[in-house]
Amino acid sequence: LMIGQVVAGYAITRKIGGGGMGAVYYGEHKTLGRPAAIKVLLPQFSNNPEVIQRFFNEARSTGLIRHPGLVDIFDFGTLPSGEAYLAMEYLQGEALSSRLRRTEKLSRDGILHITRQLALAVGAAHNKGIIHRDLKPDNIFLVYDEDLAQGMRAKVLDFGVAKLTDHGGEQNAFQTNISAMIGTPR
């Protein structure tokens, strides 16, 4: 992906993060001016149908849930170059993992505030038959929210390895191979 390139109506202005499977860019919608985070799957993974299915699973999962404790995904697709992308809500704040490294100890009230929000978000996912399977401090983002008592909202990120079930608990087409290692084992 190149700076200046337009993805789903968003002009890419800079890289803001990345990991082992993808990179995240800041984009601004050309007409609306709305900011977005554009997550792009690395080229070496964009040829693997199973990886692409899991990547797009993130968009489908969060689209089914619609909860303030989850990042909102606006669009997804494939770039002309072949890489898969997600266009999602741009969050300002920090990952819980960063906060934990920076802060010696969270207050009791802070821990309860974050835990309650996570329970509500994950509970909303479970009510839709979706199991996150990679809940960890790196996948919890803290954003400023003046409407909440603690002034922050915890948002659950990265439903890329989520399991979708029907409401009776049976797996659907996004079945995981029994021997597959997913999520973050540690």
Side-chain angles (χ1 to χ4, degrees), residues 136-147:
K136 60 185 179 182
D138 284 339
N139 288 341
I140 299 165
F141 206 81
L142 305 175
V143 297
Y144 174 72
D145 188 334
E146 66 184 23
D147 293 333

Side-chain angles (χ1 to χ4, degrees), residues 100 146 150:
L100 292 172
E146 66 184 23
Q150 294 280 329

Side-chain angles (χ1 to χ4, degrees), residues 4 6 9-11 28-34:
V6 177
Y10 293 89
E28 190 171 297
H29 196 276
K30 291 180 62 96
T31 306
L32 302 173
R34 179 184 196 177

Side-chain angles (χ1 to χ4, degrees), residues 4 10 23 26 43 50 56 58 63 65-66 68 89-90 93 98 107 118 124 127 141 156 165-166 173 180 184:
Y10 293 89
Y26 177 85
E50 185 178 330
F56 289 156
E58 181 173 356
I65 305 164
R66 302 282 306 149
E89 174 184 12
Y90 175 71
S98 295
S107 71
L118 293 176
N127 286 340
F141 206 81
V156 178
T165 65
D166 67 17
T184 309

Side-chain angles (χ1 to χ4, degrees), residues 43-143:
Q44 62 265 34
F45 299 111
S46 289
N47 296 346
N48 183 328
E50 185 178 330
V51 172
I52 291 172
Q53 181 182 29
R54 289 199 179 282
F55 190 71
F56 289 156
N57 186 28
E58 181 173 356
R60 289 195 265 313
S61 297
T62 58
L64 288 170
I65 305 164
R66 302 282 306 149
H67 187 276
L70 305 175
V71 67
D72 193 15
I73 297 182
F74 309 138
D75 196 5
F76 67 98
T78 305
L79 298 172
S81 57
E83 293 102 341
Y85 73 86
L86 303 175
M88 63 185 82
E89 174 184 12
Y90 175 71
L91 302 176
Q92 292 183 295
E94 67 181 325
L96 178 58
S97 57
S98 295
R99 173 77 55 95
L100 292 172
R101 281 191 299 273
R102 190 174 49 76
T103 306
E104 209 171 291
K105 186 177 178 183
L106 294 176
S107 71
R108 179 182 165 275
D109 287 345
I111 292 168
L112 291 173
H113 182 72
I114 291 169
T115 303
R116 180 177 187 279
Q117 290 181 52
L118 293 176
L120 291 170
V122 171
H126 289 187
N127 286 340
K128 295 288 186 175
I130 299 166
I131 302 166
H132 188 281
R133 300 197 305 180
D134 197 21
L135 202 55
K136 60 185 179 182
D138 284 339
N139 288 341
I140 299 165
F141 206 81
L142 305 175
V143 297

